[in-house]
Amino acid sequence: MVPVKKDFVENMFSVKGKVALVTGATGALGSVLSKAYGYAGAKVFMTGRNEKKLQALEEEFKAEGIDCAYAVADPADEEQVDKMVKACVAQYGEVNILAVTHGYNKPQNILEQSVADWQYIMDADCKSVYVVCKYVAQQMVDQGKGGKIVVCTSQRSKRGMAGYTGYCTSKGGADLMVSSMACDLTAKYGINVNSICPTVFRSDLTEWMFDPESAVYQNFLKREPIGRLAEPDDFVGYTLFLSSDASNFITGANCDCSGGYLTC
Ligand SMILES: NC(=O)c1ccc[n+]([C@@H]2O[C@H](COP(=O)([O-])OP(=O)(O)OC[C@H]3O[C@@H](n4cnc5c(N)ncnc54)[C@H](OP(=O)(O)O)[C@@H]3O)[C@@H](O)[C@H]2O)c1
């Protein structure tokens, strides 16, 4: 008998009925992933610091029949994160998937940047990942059913860049944190931890790079075999894959989803 189960193959990409907690849900990627989890049948618990935006997303998603809720929390604040996880559990009884999509950058040359500004980026992009993953992982361990953690970092975790001593360092740290968390959490507790590492995708902050006539866009294309920059929904498939049983043997990975940026 060939050793593959029909039932597993038929359902391996499903996140139906799972509870997905999304940080940075108010952002370009976070809002798209939140809605995508909802379309895929998951219960979606959104978090961010901006209550107005969270409210608007909840309203929009509920109008489409998506089961969702939100809590306001700063991902770098331990007390707020603790409350956020408790609020998710109060709402849905558990957390099965964590998608970390919040992020911040303020590019500055090291000679002009204050230590406080650098530390702010490190807290927003690195410490916050640790705090959120720690509290959600503890909840998953207490539930005893494993789980999936997907952290959005960046290709900037693998390459330096002018003005990016905060961002590259924090994203590089987050990628190594992901690999280390996998060592702590996968074999013993069945929690897979992976990151996705995009290059530029469309958001309020990057919209200016999408003018096809601009030198910035053309320069990027020289390093993008895929022939374009990304849209947030380009990452839905990869994230759902890493959130589902189809990726059960993948952990600790920093997954390239850059349109081939590192290949040339
Ligand atoms: N866009 C790109 O080209 C690109 C490329 C590679 C990697 N990334 C990474 O991909 C992730 C998603 O990017 P995106 O473009 O969707 O981001 P975004 O829209 O700029 O922001 C995502 C969310 O992060 C939260 N946030 C902002 N500053 C924060 C801070 N200081 N502390 C904690 N949370 C903060 C905000 O939510 P609240 O205000 O509600 O808290 C915001 O809605 C980020 O980690 C980003 O670094 C983006």
Side-chain angles (χ1 to χ4, degrees):
M1 193 81 160
V2 176
V4 60
K5 292 197 175 75
K6 183 167 185 253
D7 181 55
F8 177 76
V9 174
E10 284 175 350
N11 296 298
M12 65 184 179
F13 292 107
S14 175
V15 295
K16 205 167 181 183
K18 302 279 186 196
V19 179
L21 192 158
V22 182
T23 75
T26 55
L29 180 64
S31 57
V32 164
L33 290 183
S34 296
K35 201 173 198 182
Y37 278 124
Y39 283 153
K43 297 164 203 163
V44 189
F45 195 82
M46 300 178 285
T47 81
R49 298 164 310 160
N50 186 323
E51 180 148 31
K52 250 189 169 169
K53 284 190 184 170
L54 289 166
Q55 245 167 13
L57 290 167
E58 184 189 47
E59 202 175 307
E60 177 186 329
F61 295 177
K62 282 193 165 163
E64 292 207 47
I66 290 170
D67 188 352
C68 64
Y70 72 81
V72 176
D74 180 335
D77 184 308
E78 203 176 340
E79 206 175 304
Q80 291 184 32
V81 169
D82 185 25
K83 279 189 190 153
M84 167 194 97
V85 176
K86 288 188 171 122
C88 178
V89 174
Q91 179 76 27
Y92 291 123
E94 59 184 350
V95 191
N96 311 115
I97 297 163
L98 167 66
V100 176
T101 78
H102 65 270
Y104 170 80
N105 194 17
K106 184 183 171 192
Q108 258 183 315
N109 186 299
I110 186 170
L111 301 177
E112 287 143 21
Q113 185 177 46
S114 69
V115 175
D117 277 353
W118 180 84
Q119 187 67 56
Y120 186 82
I121 298 170
M122 292 300 293
D123 288 353
D125 290 331
C126 196
K127 177 190 170 190
S128 62
V129 176
Y130 176 84
V131 174
V132 169
C133 290
K134 177 178 169 61
Y135 276 82
V136 172
Q138 184 63 59
Q139 176 59 33
M140 288 173 171
V141 168
D142 294 346
Q143 291 165 193
K145 298 197 291 188
K148 301 279 186 182
I149 297 178
V150 186
V151 179
C152 181
T153 60
S154 170
Q155 279 303 332
R156 285 295 140 219
S157 67
K158 310 293 179 216
R159 292 281 187 280
M161 188 162 163
Y164 272 47
T165 50
Y167 192 77
C168 290
T169 310
S170 59
K171 294 296 188 182
D175 264 354
L176 273 174
M177 198 191 305
V178 158
S179 302
S180 302
M181 285 191 290
C183 299
D184 281 344
L185 299 171
T186 312
K188 202 164 176 193
Y189 302 110
I191 302 168
N192 298 54
V193 192
N194 295 291
S195 60
I196 57 167
C197 312
T199 42
V200 175
F201 60 84
R202 198 186 299 272
S203 73
D204 287 349
L205 292 181
T206 61
E207 184 68 47
W208 67 276
M209 296 183 189
F210 280 72
D211 174 2
E213 307 301 321
S214 72
V216 172
Y217 186 85
Q218 288 304 328
N219 274 334
F220 256 110
L221 284 205
K222 286 181 199 155
R223 297 283 312 276
E224 286 286 6
I226 203 116
R228 62 178 176 85
L229 296 183
E231 302 294 333
D233 64 3
D234 283 317
F235 309 109
V236 167
Y238 216 149
T239 307
L240 285 177
F241 165 66
L242 291 173
S243 305
S244 70
D245 285 343
S247 61
N248 280 350
F249 202 67
I250 301 174
T251 197
N254 304 150
C255 301
D256 173 68
C257 50
S258 65
Y261 188 69
L262 298 182
T263 61
C264 57

